Amino acid sequence: MAEASRVLQTTLIPSFHPQHRSPIFQSLPLNFRRNPIQCTVSTSNSTKATVPQKIPWGCESDSLENASALQKWLTDSGLPPQKMALQKVEVGERGLVALKNIRKGEKLLFVPPSLFITADSEWTCGEAGKVLKQNGVPDLPFLATYLISEASSLESSRWSNYISALPRQPYLLLCWTREELDRYLEASQIRQRAIERVTNVVGTYGPSVMLAAGCSIGYGSALTFTDNSNKIKKGTKGDATILKPTIMTAVPAILDRVRDGVLKKVEEKGGLAKNLFNLGFRRRLAAVGGSWFGAFGLERMVWDAVVFTKIRSILGGRIRFMLCGGAPLSAESQRFINICMGAPIGQGYGLTETFAGATFSEWDDTTVGRVGPPLPCGYIKEDVILYILSGIYAVYVCDILGMRWFYTGDIGMFHPDGCLEIIDRKKDIVKLQHGEYISLGKVEASLQSSNYVDNIMAYADPSHNYCIALVVPARQALEKWAQEADIKYNDFSELCGKAETVTEVQQSLSKVAKAAKLDKFETPAKIQLLADPWTPESGLVTAAMKIKREQIKSKFKNELQKLYA
Protein backbone atom coordinates (compact mmCIF):
# COMPACT_ATOMS: atom_id res chain seq x y z
CA MET A 1 0.00 0.00 0.00
CA ALA A 2 2.82 2.37 0.87
CA GLU A 3 4.58 1.54 -2.40
CA ALA A 4 1.36 2.15 -4.34
CA SER A 5 0.98 5.50 -2.64
CA ARG A 6 4.56 6.44 -3.50
CA VAL A 7 4.13 5.44 -7.14
CA LEU A 8 0.83 7.29 -7.30
CA GLN A 9 2.38 10.46 -5.91
CA THR A 10 5.61 10.41 -7.92
CA THR A 11 4.59 8.79 -11.22
CA LEU A 12 0.87 8.81 -11.93
CA ILE A 13 -0.26 12.07 -10.33
CA PRO A 14 2.85 14.04 -9.32
CA SER A 15 1.08 16.75 -7.33
CA PHE A 16 -2.33 17.47 -5.88
CA HIS A 17 -3.25 21.06 -5.18
CA PRO A 18 -3.16 21.43 -1.36
CA GLN A 19 -6.52 23.15 -1.25
CA HIS A 20 -8.39 20.27 -2.86
CA ARG A 21 -8.81 16.61 -2.23
CA SER A 22 -10.06 13.62 -4.11
CA PRO A 23 -13.83 13.88 -4.52
CA ILE A 24 -14.36 10.45 -3.06
CA PHE A 25 -13.01 11.67 0.28
CA GLN A 26 -14.29 15.26 0.16
CA SER A 27 -15.94 16.19 3.46
CA LEU A 28 -19.61 17.03 2.91
CA PRO A 29 -22.47 18.44 4.93
CA LEU A 30 -24.98 15.82 6.00
CA ASN A 31 -27.60 17.18 3.61
CA PHE A 32 -25.11 16.61 0.77
CA ARG A 33 -25.44 20.15 -0.65
CA ARG A 34 -21.97 21.48 -1.38
CA ASN A 35 -19.95 23.60 -3.74
CA PRO A 36 -18.61 22.10 -6.99
CA ILE A 37 -15.59 19.87 -6.54
CA GLN A 38 -12.44 20.93 -8.31
CA CYS A 39 -9.47 18.60 -8.38
CA THR A 40 -6.11 19.96 -9.43
CA VAL A 41 -3.48 17.60 -10.80
CA SER A 42 -0.30 17.90 -12.77
CA THR A 43 0.56 15.38 -15.45
CA SER A 44 3.83 16.92 -16.61
CA ASN A 45 7.27 15.45 -16.12
CA SER A 46 8.36 15.74 -12.49
CA THR A 47 11.62 17.36 -13.55
CA LYS A 48 9.81 20.29 -15.14
CA ALA A 49 7.81 23.11 -13.61
CA THR A 50 4.21 21.93 -13.25
CA VAL A 51 1.18 24.04 -14.03
CA PRO A 52 -1.88 22.91 -12.05
CA GLN A 53 -4.86 22.09 -14.21
CA LYS A 54 -8.40 22.20 -12.81
CA ILE A 55 -10.58 19.24 -13.63
CA PRO A 56 -14.26 19.95 -14.45
CA TRP A 57 -15.86 17.32 -12.28
CA GLY A 58 -19.56 16.57 -12.65
CA CYS A 59 -22.54 18.87 -12.93
CA GLU A 60 -25.52 20.10 -10.98
CA SER A 61 -27.81 17.23 -10.04
CA ASP A 62 -30.76 18.77 -11.91
CA SER A 63 -28.83 19.43 -15.15
CA LEU A 64 -30.65 17.95 -18.14
CA GLU A 65 -28.08 19.22 -20.65
CA ASN A 66 -25.46 16.86 -19.25
CA ALA A 67 -28.08 14.13 -18.98
CA SER A 68 -28.87 14.45 -22.70
CA ALA A 69 -25.17 14.29 -23.56
CA LEU A 70 -24.83 11.21 -21.37
CA GLN A 71 -27.79 9.48 -23.06
CA LYS A 72 -26.38 10.21 -26.52
CA TRP A 73 -22.97 8.89 -25.46
CA LEU A 74 -24.53 5.75 -24.02
CA THR A 75 -26.45 5.13 -27.25
CA ASP A 76 -23.34 5.72 -29.37
CA SER A 77 -21.42 3.33 -27.09
CA GLY A 78 -23.83 0.48 -27.74
CA LEU A 79 -26.61 0.91 -25.20
CA PRO A 80 -29.78 -0.61 -26.71
CA PRO A 81 -33.14 1.26 -26.62
CA GLN A 82 -34.45 1.52 -23.06
CA LYS A 83 -37.88 1.94 -21.48
CA MET A 84 -36.55 4.53 -19.04
CA ALA A 85 -35.16 8.03 -19.61
CA LEU A 86 -33.27 10.61 -17.58
CA GLN A 87 -35.66 13.40 -16.63
CA LYS A 88 -36.30 15.82 -13.80
CA VAL A 89 -38.36 14.29 -11.02
CA GLU A 90 -40.59 15.86 -8.38
CA VAL A 91 -37.79 16.43 -5.85
CA GLY A 92 -35.97 18.71 -8.30
CA GLU A 93 -33.23 16.26 -9.25
CA ARG A 94 -32.60 14.04 -12.25
CA GLY A 95 -34.03 10.57 -12.16
CA LEU A 96 -34.93 7.59 -14.32
CA VAL A 97 -38.54 7.93 -15.42
CA ALA A 98 -40.58 5.26 -17.21
CA LEU A 99 -41.47 6.17 -20.81
CA LYS A 100 -44.56 3.93 -20.78
CA ASN A 101 -46.52 1.66 -18.50
CA ILE A 102 -44.43 -1.17 -17.08
CA ARG A 103 -45.80 -4.66 -16.61
CA LYS A 104 -45.06 -6.59 -13.44
CA GLY A 105 -41.81 -8.54 -13.74
CA GLU A 106 -40.76 -6.71 -16.91
CA LYS A 107 -37.08 -5.87 -17.27
CA LEU A 108 -36.51 -2.13 -17.23
CA LEU A 109 -32.84 -1.63 -18.03
CA PHE A 110 -30.13 -3.45 -19.90
CA VAL A 111 -26.56 -2.13 -19.80
CA PRO A 112 -23.81 -3.90 -21.78
CA PRO A 113 -20.87 -5.08 -19.64
CA SER A 114 -18.59 -2.84 -21.71
CA LEU A 115 -20.22 0.23 -20.13
CA PHE A 116 -19.55 -0.80 -16.54
CA ILE A 117 -16.66 0.76 -14.62
CA THR A 118 -15.27 -1.88 -12.27
CA ALA A 119 -11.91 -2.69 -10.78
CA ASP A 120 -11.68 -5.77 -13.03
CA SER A 121 -12.66 -4.14 -16.32
CA GLU A 122 -10.16 -4.58 -19.15
CA TRP A 123 -9.67 -0.82 -19.53
CA THR A 124 -8.15 -0.62 -16.03
CA CYS A 125 -5.15 -2.63 -17.16
CA GLY A 126 -3.26 0.45 -18.29
CA GLU A 127 -0.33 1.99 -16.47
CA ALA A 128 -2.35 3.22 -13.50
CA GLY A 129 -4.37 0.05 -13.14
CA LYS A 130 -1.33 -2.19 -13.39
CA VAL A 131 0.63 -0.34 -10.73
CA LEU A 132 -2.27 -0.04 -8.31
CA LYS A 133 -3.32 -3.66 -8.75
CA GLN A 134 0.23 -4.90 -8.20
CA ASN A 135 0.38 -3.04 -4.89
CA GLY A 136 -2.95 -4.31 -3.62
CA VAL A 137 -4.86 -1.04 -3.51
CA PRO A 138 -8.50 -1.69 -2.44
CA ASP A 139 -11.25 -1.28 -5.04
CA LEU A 140 -12.74 1.98 -3.71
CA PRO A 141 -9.56 4.14 -3.76
CA PHE A 142 -8.52 2.31 -6.91
CA LEU A 143 -11.68 3.35 -8.76
CA ALA A 144 -11.46 6.86 -7.33
CA THR A 145 -7.89 7.19 -8.58
CA TYR A 146 -8.85 5.84 -11.98
CA LEU A 147 -11.70 8.34 -12.33
CA ILE A 148 -9.43 11.23 -11.30
CA SER A 149 -6.89 10.05 -13.88
CA GLU A 150 -9.56 9.88 -16.59
CA ALA A 151 -11.01 13.26 -15.56
CA SER A 152 -7.56 14.83 -15.89
CA SER A 153 -7.49 13.68 -19.52
CA LEU A 154 -10.55 15.85 -20.18
CA GLU A 155 -12.30 15.11 -23.49
CA SER A 156 -9.60 12.70 -24.65
CA SER A 157 -10.93 10.17 -22.12
CA ARG A 158 -13.52 7.69 -23.26
CA TRP A 159 -15.42 8.37 -20.04
CA SER A 160 -15.46 12.19 -20.20
CA ASN A 161 -19.21 12.32 -20.93
CA TYR A 162 -19.91 9.98 -18.05
CA ILE A 163 -17.71 11.92 -15.60
CA SER A 164 -19.12 15.31 -16.63
CA ALA A 165 -22.67 13.98 -16.09
CA LEU A 166 -22.01 12.73 -12.55
CA PRO A 167 -23.79 14.94 -9.99
CA ARG A 168 -21.44 16.92 -7.79
CA GLN A 169 -23.51 15.93 -4.79
CA PRO A 170 -24.85 12.38 -4.45
CA TYR A 171 -28.62 12.02 -4.47
CA LEU A 172 -29.61 8.42 -3.96
CA LEU A 173 -31.71 6.55 -1.47
CA LEU A 174 -28.73 5.88 0.79
CA CYS A 175 -28.25 9.63 1.12
CA TRP A 176 -31.91 10.45 1.80
CA THR A 177 -32.98 11.37 5.31
CA ARG A 178 -35.74 9.39 7.01
CA GLU A 179 -38.06 12.36 6.47
CA GLU A 180 -37.35 12.35 2.72
CA LEU A 181 -37.94 8.59 2.52
CA ASP A 182 -41.28 9.01 4.28
CA ARG A 183 -42.31 12.00 2.12
CA TYR A 184 -41.27 10.92 -1.36
CA LEU A 185 -41.85 7.18 -0.96
CA GLU A 186 -45.01 7.40 1.12
CA ALA A 187 -47.07 5.10 -1.12
CA SER A 188 -44.18 3.16 -2.59
CA GLN A 189 -43.71 -0.55 -2.04
CA ILE A 190 -39.95 -0.07 -1.73
CA ARG A 191 -40.17 2.46 1.12
CA GLN A 192 -39.65 -0.06 3.94
CA ARG A 193 -36.94 -1.88 1.99
CA ALA A 194 -35.18 1.43 1.42
CA ILE A 195 -35.32 2.27 5.12
CA GLU A 196 -33.93 -1.16 6.03
CA ARG A 197 -31.20 -0.79 3.40
CA VAL A 198 -30.13 2.61 4.68
CA THR A 199 -30.14 1.32 8.26
CA ASN A 200 -28.11 -1.78 7.38
CA VAL A 201 -25.54 0.08 5.29
CA VAL A 202 -25.01 2.84 7.82
CA GLY A 203 -24.95 0.36 10.71
CA THR A 204 -22.47 -1.96 9.01
CA TYR A 205 -20.36 0.41 6.96
CA GLY A 206 -20.94 3.70 8.79
CA PRO A 207 -17.34 4.99 8.73
CA SER A 208 -16.84 3.89 5.12
CA VAL A 209 -20.06 5.57 4.03
CA MET A 210 -18.93 8.76 5.76
CA LEU A 211 -15.58 8.67 3.96
CA ALA A 212 -17.02 7.78 0.58
CA ALA A 213 -20.09 10.01 0.59
CA GLY A 214 -18.75 12.64 2.98
CA CYS A 215 -20.03 14.34 6.09
CA SER A 216 -19.42 17.38 8.25
CA ILE A 217 -17.59 16.75 11.52
CA GLY A 218 -17.73 19.16 14.44
CA TYR A 219 -16.07 19.16 17.85
CA GLY A 220 -17.50 20.41 21.13
CA SER A 221 -15.99 21.10 24.53
CA ALA A 222 -17.44 19.82 27.78
CA LEU A 223 -17.58 23.43 28.97
CA THR A 224 -19.31 24.79 25.84
CA PHE A 225 -21.45 21.84 24.77
CA THR A 226 -24.98 23.09 25.55
CA ASP A 227 -26.52 26.54 25.77
CA ASN A 228 -26.27 26.37 29.58
CA SER A 229 -22.66 25.15 29.81
CA ASN A 230 -20.31 26.97 32.19
CA LYS A 231 -18.26 28.71 29.47
CA ILE A 232 -21.23 29.82 27.34
CA LYS A 233 -22.13 33.48 27.64
CA LYS A 234 -25.78 34.05 28.48
CA GLY A 235 -27.80 34.56 25.31
CA THR A 236 -25.36 32.70 23.04
CA LYS A 237 -25.59 29.16 21.69
CA GLY A 238 -23.66 26.05 22.64
CA ASP A 239 -21.78 23.68 20.32
CA ALA A 240 -24.65 21.17 19.94
CA THR A 241 -27.21 23.86 19.09
CA ILE A 242 -24.99 25.29 16.36
CA LEU A 243 -23.71 22.01 14.90
CA LYS A 244 -27.07 20.15 15.03
CA PRO A 245 -25.40 16.71 14.77
CA THR A 246 -27.12 13.57 13.53
CA ILE A 247 -24.46 11.22 14.93
CA MET A 248 -22.68 12.09 18.14
CA THR A 249 -19.89 10.54 20.16
CA ALA A 250 -19.48 11.42 23.82
CA VAL A 251 -18.16 10.18 27.14
CA PRO A 252 -20.57 9.31 29.98
CA ALA A 253 -19.65 12.47 31.92
CA ILE A 254 -21.10 14.61 29.11
CA LEU A 255 -24.30 12.58 28.84
CA ASP A 256 -24.69 12.59 32.62
CA ARG A 257 -24.48 16.39 32.60
CA VAL A 258 -27.08 16.65 29.86
CA ARG A 259 -29.40 14.34 31.78
CA ASP A 260 -28.88 16.17 35.07
CA GLY A 261 -29.48 19.52 33.37
CA VAL A 262 -32.80 18.38 31.90
CA LEU A 263 -34.00 16.85 35.17
CA LYS A 264 -33.09 20.04 37.04
CA LYS A 265 -35.11 22.13 34.58
CA VAL A 266 -38.08 19.78 34.92
CA GLU A 267 -37.86 19.96 38.70
CA GLU A 268 -37.73 23.76 38.59
CA LYS A 269 -40.82 24.02 36.39
CA GLY A 270 -42.85 21.63 38.52
CA GLY A 271 -46.62 21.42 38.22
CA LEU A 272 -48.16 20.18 34.97
CA ALA A 273 -44.85 20.21 33.04
CA LYS A 274 -43.20 17.93 35.61
CA ASN A 275 -46.17 15.56 35.76
CA LEU A 276 -46.34 15.29 31.95
CA PHE A 277 -42.61 14.60 31.72
CA ASN A 278 -42.69 11.92 34.41
CA LEU A 279 -45.75 10.22 32.89
CA GLY A 280 -44.36 10.30 29.36
CA PHE A 281 -40.99 9.04 30.54
CA ARG A 282 -42.55 6.12 32.44
CA ARG A 283 -44.71 5.17 29.45
CA ARG A 284 -41.76 5.23 27.04
CA LEU A 285 -39.48 3.49 29.54
CA ALA A 286 -41.90 0.58 29.68
CA ALA A 287 -41.88 0.35 25.88
CA VAL A 288 -38.07 0.55 25.59
CA GLY A 289 -37.82 -2.11 28.30
CA GLY A 290 -39.92 -4.48 26.17
CA SER A 291 -43.32 -4.22 27.84
CA TRP A 292 -46.34 -4.56 25.54
CA PHE A 293 -48.14 -2.02 27.72
CA GLY A 294 -45.68 0.80 27.03
CA ALA A 295 -46.09 3.76 24.68
CA PHE A 296 -45.74 2.63 21.06
CA GLY A 297 -46.93 3.96 17.73
CA LEU A 298 -49.36 6.86 17.92
CA GLU A 299 -48.96 7.31 21.67
CA ARG A 300 -45.19 7.55 21.23
CA MET A 301 -45.65 10.23 18.59
CA VAL A 302 -47.89 12.19 20.96
CA TRP A 303 -45.35 12.08 23.80
CA ASP A 304 -42.56 13.05 21.41
CA ALA A 305 -44.53 16.07 20.17
CA VAL A 306 -45.79 17.20 23.57
CA VAL A 307 -42.79 16.49 25.82
CA PHE A 308 -39.58 15.31 24.21
CA THR A 309 -39.20 17.46 21.07
CA LYS A 310 -38.17 20.49 23.12
CA ILE A 311 -35.70 18.40 25.12
CA ARG A 312 -34.12 17.10 21.91
CA SER A 313 -33.36 20.66 20.84
CA ILE A 314 -30.69 20.70 23.59
CA LEU A 315 -28.53 18.51 21.31
CA GLY A 316 -29.64 20.19 18.10
CA GLY A 317 -32.84 18.19 17.55
CA ARG A 318 -31.46 15.88 14.83
CA ILE A 319 -29.72 13.08 16.75
CA ARG A 320 -30.21 9.66 15.12
CA PHE A 321 -27.48 7.65 16.83
CA MET A 322 -25.00 8.14 19.65
CA LEU A 323 -21.73 6.43 20.51
CA CYS A 324 -20.33 6.34 24.03
CA GLY A 325 -17.01 5.20 25.44
CA GLY A 326 -14.24 6.06 27.86
CA ALA A 327 -16.10 4.82 30.96
CA PRO A 328 -19.18 2.75 31.82
CA LEU A 329 -22.44 4.53 31.02
CA SER A 330 -25.09 4.31 33.72
CA ALA A 331 -28.37 2.60 32.90
CA GLU A 332 -30.25 5.77 33.86
CA SER A 333 -28.33 7.93 31.37
CA GLN A 334 -28.63 5.32 28.62
CA ARG A 335 -32.41 5.12 28.98
CA PHE A 336 -32.61 8.92 29.19
CA ILE A 337 -30.91 9.18 25.77
CA ASN A 338 -33.14 6.43 24.32
CA ILE A 339 -36.32 8.18 25.44
CA CYS A 340 -35.68 11.92 25.63
CA MET A 341 -33.36 12.10 22.61
CA GLY A 342 -35.20 9.35 20.72
CA ALA A 343 -31.97 7.68 19.61
CA PRO A 344 -30.25 4.33 20.13
CA ILE A 345 -26.87 4.53 21.84
CA GLY A 346 -23.95 2.19 21.27
CA GLN A 347 -21.09 1.61 23.67
CA GLY A 348 -17.51 0.58 23.08
CA TYR A 349 -14.60 -0.57 25.20
CA GLY A 350 -10.88 -0.45 24.61
CA LEU A 351 -7.57 1.07 25.63
CA THR A 352 -4.91 3.18 23.99
CA GLU A 353 -2.44 0.32 24.49
CA THR A 354 -4.71 -2.04 22.51
CA PHE A 355 -5.29 0.49 19.72
CA ALA A 356 -8.58 1.72 21.15
CA GLY A 357 -11.67 -0.32 20.25
CA ALA A 358 -11.76 -3.91 21.51
CA THR A 359 -15.54 -4.37 21.74
CA PHE A 360 -18.54 -2.57 20.27
CA SER A 361 -22.21 -3.10 20.97
CA GLU A 362 -24.54 -3.83 18.07
CA TRP A 363 -26.60 -0.87 16.86
CA ASP A 364 -29.87 -2.65 17.70
CA ASP A 365 -28.81 -3.91 21.15
CA THR A 366 -31.25 -2.24 23.57
CA THR A 367 -29.77 -3.70 26.77
CA VAL A 368 -28.07 -1.42 29.28
CA GLY A 369 -24.63 -1.53 30.87
CA ARG A 370 -22.95 -3.63 28.18
CA VAL A 371 -20.19 -2.76 25.72
CA GLY A 372 -20.86 -5.48 23.15
CA PRO A 373 -18.90 -8.53 22.00
CA PRO A 374 -15.17 -8.58 21.16
CA LEU A 375 -14.23 -7.51 17.66
CA PRO A 376 -13.19 -10.28 15.25
CA CYS A 377 -9.61 -8.94 15.20
CA GLY A 378 -8.94 -9.53 18.91
CA TYR A 379 -9.42 -11.73 21.95
CA ILE A 380 -10.51 -10.97 25.49
CA LYS A 381 -10.21 -13.42 28.36
CA GLU A 382 -10.86 -13.37 32.08
CA ASP A 383 -7.79 -13.93 34.19
CA VAL A 384 -6.89 -14.09 37.83
CA ILE A 385 -4.09 -11.57 37.22
CA LEU A 386 -5.96 -8.45 36.32
CA TYR A 387 -3.35 -5.74 36.27
CA ILE A 388 0.42 -5.62 35.81
CA LEU A 389 2.54 -2.50 35.83
CA SER A 390 6.27 -1.96 35.55
CA GLY A 391 6.95 1.58 36.71
CA ILE A 392 4.59 3.64 34.59
CA TYR A 393 4.63 1.24 31.67
CA ALA A 394 2.03 -1.43 31.11
CA VAL A 395 3.40 -4.93 30.56
CA TYR A 396 2.40 -7.35 27.82
CA VAL A 397 2.68 -10.92 29.10
CA CYS A 398 2.97 -14.14 27.09
CA ASP A 399 0.99 -17.18 28.17
CA ILE A 400 2.16 -20.78 27.97
CA LEU A 401 1.00 -20.97 24.35
CA GLY A 402 3.10 -17.97 23.37
CA MET A 403 0.20 -15.53 22.91
CA ARG A 404 0.81 -12.00 24.13
CA TRP A 405 -1.82 -10.52 26.45
CA PHE A 406 -2.26 -7.04 27.83
CA TYR A 407 -3.64 -6.95 31.36
CA THR A 408 -6.09 -4.07 31.43
CA GLY A 409 -6.85 -3.72 35.12
CA ASP A 410 -10.59 -3.66 34.38
CA ILE A 411 -13.05 -5.96 36.09
CA GLY A 412 -15.70 -7.26 33.72
CA MET A 413 -18.24 -10.00 33.17
CA PHE A 414 -19.24 -11.86 30.01
CA HIS A 415 -22.95 -12.42 29.40
CA PRO A 416 -24.23 -15.70 27.89
CA ASP A 417 -24.52 -14.10 24.44
CA GLY A 418 -20.84 -13.12 24.47
CA CYS A 419 -21.29 -9.42 25.30
CA LEU A 420 -19.00 -7.83 27.85
CA GLU A 421 -20.00 -5.69 30.82
CA ILE A 422 -17.37 -3.55 32.54
CA ILE A 423 -17.94 -3.47 36.28
CA ASP A 424 -15.04 -1.50 37.72
CA ARG A 425 -11.32 -0.85 37.85
CA LYS A 426 -9.28 -3.13 40.09
CA LYS A 427 -7.28 -0.24 41.51
CA ASP A 428 -10.52 1.65 42.33
CA ILE A 429 -11.66 -1.01 44.79
CA VAL A 430 -10.50 -0.50 48.38
CA LYS A 431 -10.88 -2.79 51.39
CA LEU A 432 -11.88 -0.81 54.48
CA GLN A 433 -10.85 -1.41 58.08
CA HIS A 434 -13.73 -3.77 58.87
CA GLY A 435 -13.36 -5.82 55.71
CA GLU A 436 -15.93 -4.10 53.50
CA TYR A 437 -14.97 -3.54 49.86
CA ILE A 438 -15.84 -0.15 48.40
CA SER A 439 -15.88 0.69 44.71
CA LEU A 440 -14.82 4.31 44.35
CA GLY A 441 -16.03 4.47 40.75
CA LYS A 442 -19.47 3.24 41.75
CA VAL A 443 -19.71 5.85 44.52
CA GLU A 444 -18.65 8.66 42.18
CA ALA A 445 -21.07 7.63 39.45
CA SER A 446 -23.96 7.55 41.92
CA LEU A 447 -23.19 10.88 43.63
CA GLN A 448 -22.61 12.66 40.31
CA SER A 449 -26.39 13.01 39.94
CA SER A 450 -26.59 15.48 42.83
CA ASN A 451 -27.69 18.95 41.74
CA TYR A 452 -24.69 20.44 43.51
CA VAL A 453 -21.99 18.23 41.96
CA ASP A 454 -19.98 19.28 38.95
CA ASN A 455 -17.19 16.78 39.64
CA ILE A 456 -16.29 14.45 42.49
CA MET A 457 -13.55 12.08 43.63
CA ALA A 458 -14.22 9.57 46.37
CA TYR A 459 -11.32 8.44 48.55
CA ALA A 460 -10.99 5.62 51.05
CA ASP A 461 -8.17 4.94 53.50
CA PRO A 462 -7.91 1.22 54.32
CA SER A 463 -7.15 2.10 57.95
CA HIS A 464 -10.61 3.65 58.39
CA ASN A 465 -14.14 2.34 58.09
CA TYR A 466 -15.64 5.17 56.01
CA CYS A 467 -14.89 7.09 52.84
CA ILE A 468 -14.56 10.81 52.12
CA ALA A 469 -14.87 12.92 48.96
CA LEU A 470 -13.51 15.99 47.21
CA VAL A 471 -16.33 17.83 45.47
CA VAL A 472 -16.24 20.52 42.79
CA PRO A 473 -19.69 22.08 43.21
CA ALA A 474 -21.93 23.18 40.35
CA ARG A 475 -21.52 26.93 40.64
CA GLN A 476 -24.90 28.04 39.30
CA ALA A 477 -26.85 25.62 41.49
CA LEU A 478 -24.88 26.50 44.61
CA GLU A 479 -25.11 30.26 44.07
CA LYS A 480 -28.85 29.95 43.50
CA TRP A 481 -29.21 28.11 46.82
CA ALA A 482 -27.08 30.75 48.57
CA GLN A 483 -29.29 33.52 47.21
CA GLU A 484 -32.48 31.77 48.34
CA ALA A 485 -30.96 31.01 51.76
CA ASP A 486 -29.69 34.61 52.07
CA ILE A 487 -26.07 33.50 52.48
CA LYS A 488 -23.63 36.41 52.23
CA TYR A 489 -20.24 35.92 50.57
CA ASN A 490 -17.64 37.90 48.61
CA ASP A 491 -16.57 35.25 46.08
CA PHE A 492 -17.32 31.65 45.18
CA SER A 493 -14.29 30.35 47.07
CA GLU A 494 -15.62 31.91 50.26
CA LEU A 495 -19.05 30.39 49.66
CA CYS A 496 -17.50 26.91 49.29
CA GLY A 497 -15.71 27.32 52.61
CA LYS A 498 -18.81 28.15 54.68
CA ALA A 499 -20.02 25.45 57.07
CA GLU A 500 -23.66 25.82 56.03
CA THR A 501 -22.68 25.34 52.38
CA VAL A 502 -20.80 22.13 53.16
CA THR A 503 -23.78 20.90 55.18
CA GLU A 504 -26.18 21.60 52.31
CA VAL A 505 -24.05 19.69 49.80
CA GLN A 506 -23.47 16.86 52.31
CA GLN A 507 -27.20 16.42 52.81
CA SER A 508 -27.74 16.37 49.05
CA LEU A 509 -25.12 13.63 48.67
CA SER A 510 -26.72 11.57 51.42
CA LYS A 511 -30.11 11.85 49.75
CA VAL A 512 -28.69 10.77 46.38
CA ALA A 513 -26.74 7.91 47.99
CA LYS A 514 -29.90 6.62 49.64
CA ALA A 515 -31.79 6.75 46.34
CA ALA A 516 -28.92 4.84 44.69
CA LYS A 517 -29.05 2.25 47.50
CA LEU A 518 -25.46 2.80 48.58
CA ASP A 519 -24.41 1.27 51.88
CA LYS A 520 -23.57 3.55 54.78
CA PHE A 521 -19.84 2.99 54.38
CA GLU A 522 -20.16 3.96 50.69
CA THR A 523 -21.61 7.37 51.51
CA PRO A 524 -18.86 9.95 52.14
CA ALA A 525 -18.82 10.83 55.82
CA LYS A 526 -16.89 14.07 55.19
CA ILE A 527 -16.43 16.24 52.12
CA GLN A 528 -14.27 19.14 50.99
CA LEU A 529 -15.66 21.68 48.51
CA LEU A 530 -13.19 22.95 45.89
CA ALA A 531 -14.06 26.19 44.10
CA ASP A 532 -11.86 25.76 41.00
CA PRO A 533 -13.23 23.43 38.27
CA TRP A 534 -11.24 20.40 37.12
CA THR A 535 -10.34 20.79 33.46
CA PRO A 536 -7.94 19.01 31.09
CA GLU A 537 -5.77 22.13 31.23
CA SER A 538 -5.43 21.76 35.00
CA GLY A 539 -4.18 18.20 34.53
CA LEU A 540 -6.79 16.79 36.92
CA VAL A 541 -9.07 15.24 34.29
CA THR A 542 -8.47 13.72 30.87
CA ALA A 543 -9.73 15.15 27.60
CA ALA A 544 -12.63 12.72 28.03
CA MET A 545 -13.35 14.35 31.43
CA LYS A 546 -12.33 11.26 33.41
CA ILE A 547 -10.71 12.14 36.71
CA LYS A 548 -6.98 11.52 37.14
CA ARG A 549 -7.12 9.98 40.57
CA GLU A 550 -3.41 9.99 41.38
CA GLN A 551 -2.91 13.59 40.29
CA ILE A 552 -5.89 14.75 42.37
CA LYS A 553 -4.68 12.80 45.41
CA SER A 554 -1.24 14.36 45.05
CA LYS A 555 -2.48 17.93 44.65
CA PHE A 556 -5.00 17.75 47.49
CA LYS A 557 -2.99 15.54 49.82
CA ASN A 558 -3.31 17.95 52.74
CA GLU A 559 -7.08 18.31 52.30
CA LEU A 560 -7.52 14.52 52.34
CA GLN A 561 -5.43 14.19 55.48
CA LYS A 562 -7.48 16.89 57.25
CA LEU A 563 -10.74 15.11 56.38
CA TYR A 564 -9.45 11.94 58.07
CA ALA A 565 -7.94 13.83 61.03
Side-chain angles (χ1 to χ4, degrees), residues 286-322:
V288 173
S291 172
W292 288 100
F293 300 101
F296 292 97
L298 182 59
E299 184 185 351
R300 173 183 178 176
M301 294 172 64
V302 171
W303 286 119
D304 285 348
V306 174
V307 178
F308 300 122
T309 297
K310 189 172 182 180
I311 296 176
R312 290 169 190 174
S313 66
I314 295 174
L315 299 183
R318 300 174 60 206
I319 293 292
R320 300 184 199 171
F321 186 76
M322 297 185 72

Side-chain angles (χ1 to χ4, degrees), residues 270-284:
L272 179 61
K274 179 180 177 181
N275 292 334
L276 278 175
F277 175 85
N278 290 336
L279 178 59
F281 193 90
R282 287 197 300 268
R283 295 289 298 149
R284 286 293 299 130

Side-chain angles (χ1 to χ4, degrees), residues 430-452:
V430 180
K431 186 178 181 180
L432 297 178
Q433 186 181 41
H434 293 165
E436 304 97 338
Y437 284 94
I438 180 172
S439 168
L440 301 180
K442 172 187 173 183
V443 171
E444 291 159 356
S446 299
L447 301 183
Q448 190 76 44
S449 61
S450 167
N451 292 343
Y452 294 127

Side-chain angles (χ1 to χ4, degrees), residues 523-545:
T523 304
K526 299 179 182 179
I527 64 172
Q528 172 79 42
L529 300 185
L530 305 173
D532 295 328
W534 295 345
T535 64
E537 291 74 21
S538 69
L540 301 179
V541 295
T542 67
M545 298 305 292

Side-chain angles (χ1 to χ4, degrees), residues 151-162:
S152 67
S153 301
L154 302 178
E155 295 184 0
S156 64
S157 168
R158 177 194 176 192
W159 305 98
S160 61
N161 283 288
Y162 167 73

